[in-house]
C-alpha cells in the first residue's frame, strides 16, 4: 500500500537518529525515553544493529555508539576525498622515509578498499587504487579486524577466519603491537606492514607499505611500523 511503512525498520532508524542527535552515543534508557519504545523493544533492536555493525559498545561503558558500518556509509557519501587529501602527506613521508610504496585503505563492507598509493608502482596497471581485497590474510585486513570489534564479529558470523590465518592469537598480537605484519601470507614472496588510522578514537583507515620479502624484511617492517605510527600522528595534528 502506498505510504505504508515497516514498523521494525521505522523503529531502527528512529533509534539511530536518536543516537546521532545525542552526539554519537546514548544509553538504552535515554533512547527508550526519547522514542517512547519499551526498553525490551529498544534492547532487541540495539542488539540487532550491533550484530550488524551499525552500533557498538565500548569496554566499561554501557552506552551504544554509532558503529563502523554507519561510518562506512558516510564515507561512501563523500568522506573518501577528505581522507585521501588529509593522509596524502603521510603517504609521501612514509615512502620517502622507507623507500617502499605506501598505501591508504578503508573498510568497505567486509572488504578493504584502497583509496591511494604513493611511490613505486603508483601508476602501474596493477596499482590497487579503487580495488577491493579480502580482509583475511592481509596486513590491512588484520588491522581492521583487530581494532574494529563490530566488523570482526560480523565477519566471524559469516565465515571461519581461522582457515585464512586469522586466529585469536594473531589478532591479540596485532592489538599488542599496534600494527600488523603479513609475511608473504597473502602474496607469495611479498611482505606488508600496516597501521591503523584513528579519528576521535575510532579506526577509520589503514596505512601500509609493501615490498619483496628479500628487501622488506621482518626487522625492517617492525622499524617502519613505528615510523609510520609517528608520521600518522604528526600529520593528523595539522
Amino acid at each position: 500500500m502506498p505510504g505504508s511503512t515497516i514498523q521494525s525498520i521505522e523503529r531502527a532508524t528512529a533509534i539511530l537518529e536518536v543516537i546521532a542527535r545525542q552526539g554519537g552515543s546514548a544509553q538504552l534508557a535515554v533512547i527508550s525515553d526519547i522514542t517512547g519504545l519499551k526498553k525490551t523493544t529498544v534492547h532487541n533492536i540495539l542488539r540487532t544493529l550491533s550484530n550488524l555493525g551499525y552500533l557498538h559498545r565500548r569496554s566499561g561503558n554501557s552506552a551504544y555508539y554509532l558503529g563502523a558500518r554507519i561510518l562506512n556509509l558516510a564515507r561512501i557519501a563523500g568522506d573518501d576525498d577528505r581522507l585521501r587529501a588529509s593522509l596524502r602527506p603521510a603517504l609521501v613521508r612514509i615512502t620517502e622515509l622507507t623507500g617502499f610504496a605506501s598505501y591508504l585503505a578503508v573498510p568497505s563492507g567486509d572488504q578493504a578498499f584502497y583509496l591511494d598509493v604513493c611511490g613505486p608502482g603508483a601508476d602501474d596497471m596493477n596499482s590497487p587504487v579503487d580495488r577491493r581485497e579480502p580482509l583475511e590474510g592481509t596486513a590491512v585486513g588484520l588491522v581492521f579486524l583487530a581494532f574494529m570489534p563490530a566488523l570482526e564479529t560480523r565477519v566471524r558470523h559469516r565465515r571461519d577466519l581461522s582457515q585464512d590465518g586469522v586466529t585469536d592469537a594473531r589478532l591479540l598480537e596485532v592489538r599488542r603491537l599496534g600494527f600488523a605484519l603479513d609475511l608473504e601470507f597473502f602474496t607469495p614472496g611479498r611482505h606488508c606492514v600496516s597501521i591503523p588510522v584513528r579519528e576521535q578514537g575510532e579506526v577509520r583507515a589503514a596505512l601500509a607499505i609493501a615490498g619483496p620479502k628479500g628487501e622488506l624484511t621482518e626487522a625492517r617492517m617492525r622499524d617502519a611500523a613505528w615510523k609510520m605510527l609517528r608520521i600518522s600522528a604528526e600529520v593528523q595534528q595539522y
Side-chain angles (χ1 to χ4, degrees), residues 48-203:
T48 299
L49 290 171
S50 297
N51 288 340
L52 292 172
Y54 289 105
L55 298 175
H56 74 97
R57 301 177 75 179
R58 297 175 181 174
S59 178
N61 191 331
S62 60
Y64 287 83
Y65 291 78
L66 295 178
R69 212 163 188 184
I70 285 287
L71 299 177
N72 281 347
L73 293 176
R75 179 188 60 74
I76 293 170
D79 205 32
D80 282 358
D81 289 341
R82 183 190 64 79
L83 283 171
R84 190 182 292 110
S86 65
L87 292 170
R88 181 67 184 183
L91 289 180
V92 172
R93 289 178 59 185
I94 288 170
T95 293
E96 290 176 346
L97 195 61
T98 67
F100 293 96
S102 56
Y103 306 88
L104 167 63
V106 292
S108 181
D110 295 342
Q111 298 175 306
F113 181 73
Y114 285 81
L115 293 181
D116 202 2
V117 59
C118 177
D123 298 321
D124 291 353
M125 291 181 60
N126 292 326
S127 169
V129 173
D130 293 333
R131 191 175 74 200
R132 287 175 169 78
E133 285 185 353
L135 300 175
E136 298 92 310
T138 68
V140 166
L142 285 171
V143 162
F144 291 147
L145 290 169
F147 296 111
M148 301 178 74
L151 176 62
E152 180 196 0
T153 299
R154 189 170 73 248
V155 174
R156 283 189 183 278
H157 282 166
R158 298 184 179 182
R159 49 191 183 266
D160 183 3
L161 296 178
S162 64
Q163 293 183 349
D164 296 289
V166 185
T167 61
D168 290 339
R170 196 174 184 192
L171 292 178
L172 284 172
E173 180 72 356
V174 173
R175 295 183 188 112
R176 183 183 70 82
L177 293 172
F179 57 84
L181 303 178
D182 168 18
L183 301 173
E184 61 176 327
F185 187 93
F186 188 69
T187 303
R190 192 169 178 82
H191 285 176
C192 180
V193 56
S194 181
I195 67 164
V197 175
R198 292 180 171 86
E199 290 184 343
Q200 298 180 340
E202 303 294 334
V203 172

Side-chain angles (χ1 to χ4, degrees), residues 13-26 55 64 66 70:
T13 55
I15 288 173
L16 289 173
E17 288 177 3
V18 166
I19 295 174
R21 287 172 180 156
Q22 292 294 307
S25 67
L55 298 175
Y64 287 83
L66 295 178
I70 285 287

